[in-house]
Amino acid sequence: MVPMPHPLRPRTLTRLIGQGIRTATRLRGGGSAFPGLFMEKADPGFVARELARLPHGVVVISGTNGKTTTTKMTVQLLESQGLRVFTNRTGSNFVRGVAAALLGEMDLRGRLEADIAVLELDEAHAVHFVRAVRPRHALLLNVMRDQLDRFGEIDTTRKMLTQVAQATTEAVVLNREDPRIRRIAADLTPGTRAVYYGLSEQLRSRFPSDDEMRDKTPAHQAADLPEADVVLEAFEGTRSVLSIGGREVTAQITLYGIYNIYNAAGALALTRQIMGDRTDEAALLRALSEVTPAFGRGESVRIGDSTLQLLLVKNPAGFRLSLASATGADWATMITINDEYADGRDVSWLWDVDFDVLRESGVDVVGGTRAWDMALRLEHDDVPVREVHPELPEALRAFLDGAGDRPMRVFCTYTSMLVLRRELGRITDVEEI
């Protein structure tokens, strides 16, 4: 008698269907939301069950600004220590994004070749995630006024991050320079360590907290700050000086933006907590020098003989820091502002950004669904605008036609960045995500 094939278990069948959906959506050029949503509905325990198998557990990175690039840095630092890392590399930071990433990384037998998971999570969705999966380590970056139509007041965001910290079992790495993040240490579950990263006194004015941006006065005195495991002491160009465990070291960091240099201190502090006594510091510093930008976060693409840089902006703090970093060259500049759900419907935050730095060079093109709102905002700061095109493909064509030989930069909200990457992919090499 010929033996009958063993029937597939329901969970196995569901996973295979999910993997098929993910493959189909990628072939059609779609994103990761739908296969992840399918798994959320068809097998709600999928993410928690699979991540529970990882020997080094789960790491959560959250906060208003810098999650994607900091996650990428942390992944590369841990890989330099010999760990196999699973991550949601697209920056899709909802639980369904994690589910879709799992589907993409598993083989057909359902095996995930990883030792640890490092996950970027949206503040609100992180709360739901940690109810199902308690992270061993967490890194909390900052709290800024961001998408108030989604999250409400800024203290609501802090409460969300506090819940993430309370669910963490081993160590929470906190940005000591942000008073709302720093205070989370008092609410940790007994047995969970609070570890800090921070800035030297001379650098604090360059990285204002949300309150300091509005009040123009320091939110704390240096004497009030806890000791930090990693401190960014100074930087110039790509050379950074860091204090790690009380010892001063020099590192090369080639990422765009002064805020990413500070985020590197957080990624280092987190990696040191995960690795403990097994930390290979020399390997960490080598890996840090090799980190490249996450997609849309200072990502550069070649257009003929010129370079175009994509700079994601989504709140006043991030936009201000991007503008502060974008000096020293005769740039062709475009700004694209959308108001889809992933961007935040309320774009009034644009009025909290100072655009004076663009007054001399002007802005070549403004695009996106809220292009005219952006143009009006620039007019109030006496920044000249050459063209306004709400349709992004048209805006990009006008921008490329008028840029000449100048290097190009585009300040863009999330959904407009996705459209621009797709359009750029038609004319040049853009990394597939």
Side-chain angles (χ1 to χ4, degrees):
M1 175 180 287
V2 178
M4 295 294 291
H6 192 281
L8 291 175
R9 295 177 179 177
R11 286 177 178 173
T12 301
L13 180 59
T14 300
R15 173 182 54 76
L16 288 170
I17 294 172
Q19 288 177 297
I21 292 172
R22 178 163 173 79
T23 299
T25 56
R26 288 181 67 84
L27 289 174
R28 294 183 61 187
S32 61
F34 182 63
L37 178 60
F38 168 79
M39 293 305 295
E40 274 191 310
K41 301 295 184 183
D43 185 1
F46 170 68
V47 170
R49 190 172 60 251
E50 298 303 327
L51 295 182
R53 298 173 180 171
L54 299 177
H56 290 271
V58 174
V59 179
V60 167
I61 296 175
S62 195
T64 305
N65 283 333
K67 295 185 290 293
T68 301
T69 298
T70 306
T71 299
K72 190 169 190 272
M73 277 191 277
T74 302
V75 169
Q76 292 187 229
L77 293 179
L78 288 171
E79 288 176 340
S80 79
Q81 305 298 292
L83 293 184
R84 299 171 300 173
V85 185
F86 163 73
T87 188
N88 50 334
R89 67 184 298 267
T90 66
S92 179
N93 54 26
F94 295 176
V95 178
R96 64 193 57 167
V98 178
L102 279 168
L103 292 172
E105 294 295 325
M106 287 177 165
D107 63 22
L108 292 178
R109 295 184 179 181
R111 293 177 300 192
L112 178 67
E113 297 293 334
D115 302 306
I116 189 170
V118 178
L119 304 175
E120 169 196 350
L121 290 176
D122 169 274
E123 300 94 309
H125 286 261
V127 173
H128 300 293
F129 178 86
V130 299
R131 289 173 184 160
V133 181
R134 296 191 68 183
R136 291 191 191 178
H137 296 86
L139 170 59
L140 304 182
L141 299 168
N142 43 57
V143 179
M144 298 285 182
R145 295 172 200 274
D146 178 39
Q147 302 187 26
L148 297 185
D149 54 309
R150 288 178 56 203
F151 293 158
E153 253 305 320
I154 188 170
D155 284 321
T156 301
T157 304
R158 180 193 62 80
K159 291 175 183 176
M160 293 173 184
L161 294 179
T162 299
Q163 292 180 61
V164 174
Q166 289 173 329
T168 303
T169 60
E170 291 191 17
V172 180
V173 178
L174 301 168
N175 174 6
R176 75 172 184 186
E177 311 301 335
D178 187 311
R180 289 180 174 83
I181 294 293
R182 187 172 66 247
R183 289 197 295 269
I184 290 175
D187 298 316
L188 297 184
T189 303
T192 301
R193 302 186 304 277
V195 181
Y196 301 92
Y197 70 101
L199 296 164
S200 63
E201 188 170 357
Q202 60 265 33
L203 289 182
R204 288 195 182 105
S205 63
R206 301 188 67 177
F207 298 85
S209 68
D210 191 87
D211 291 334
E212 288 168 335
M213 282 201 308
R214 286 157 178 77
D215 299 338
K216 308 299 182 184
T217 56
H220 52 259
Q221 300 297 320
D224 299 331
L225 296 175
E227 184 176 349
D229 182 57
V230 179
V231 176
L232 178 61
E233 299 284 355
F235 63 89
E236 182 176 357
T238 62
R239 180 180 180 273
S240 297
V241 179
L242 297 147
S243 173
I244 301 178
R247 293 170 295 99
E248 194 169 281
V249 301
T250 300
Q252 294 295 320
I253 304 174
T254 58
L255 293 170
Y256 174 88
I258 60 175
Y259 46 90
N260 280 328
I261 298 174
Y262 184 39
N263 289 338
L268 283 169
L270 175 61
T271 303
R272 280 168 53 81
Q273 288 303 306
I274 295 167
M275 298 306 301
D277 294 338
R278 297 167 296 146
T279 302
D280 181 342
E281 187 175 288
L284 278 185
L285 297 179
R286 283 196 302 271
L288 190 60
S289 70
E290 297 168 357
V291 175
T292 55
F295 79 107
R297 278 78 170 178
E299 175 187 22
S300 293
V301 297
R302 296 294 299 176
I303 308 290
D305 294 329
S306 299
T307 299
L308 184 148
Q309 196 167 49
L310 293 170
L311 303 165
L312 178 68
V313 294
K314 60 191 184 75
N315 55 46
F319 212 149
R320 287 185 182 197
L321 288 170
S322 284
L323 289 168
S325 301
T327 58
D330 179 22
W331 291 91
T333 302
M334 179 163 75
I335 301 176
T336 61
I337 305 295
N338 276 1
D339 61 352
E340 302 298 330
Y341 176 78
D343 307 300
R345 300 290 190 187
D346 180 6
V347 298
S348 62
W349 61 270
L350 293 169
W351 293 88
D352 290 330
V353 182
D354 183 353
F355 292 98
D356 289 351
V357 70
L358 298 177
R359 189 172 295 159
E360 183 176 350
S361 62
V363 173
D364 293 77
V365 178
V366 174
T369 57
R370 301 300 286 268
W372 290 106
D373 297 78
M374 185 69 244
L376 176 64
R377 175 68 191 92
L378 292 170
E379 181 181 347
H380 276 258
D381 271 2
D382 298 320
V383 176
V385 175
R386 182 166 58 86
E387 297 183 53
V388 178
H389 298 286
E391 296 296 326
L392 286 170
E394 182 182 353
L396 181 60
R397 285 194 296 271
F399 181 56
L400 296 177
D401 289 344
D405 296 329
R406 293 174 294 167
M408 295 169 280
R409 62 187 177 193
V410 183
F411 300 98
C412 47
T413 55
Y414 184 73
T415 65
S416 69
M417 180 260 291
L418 296 180
V419 174
L420 291 173
R421 289 184 92 257
R422 184 175 66 240
E423 292 298 316
L424 288 167
R426 302 180 193 279
I427 59 174
T428 190
D429 291 330
V430 178
E431 181 185 4
E432 184 179 351
I433 300 295

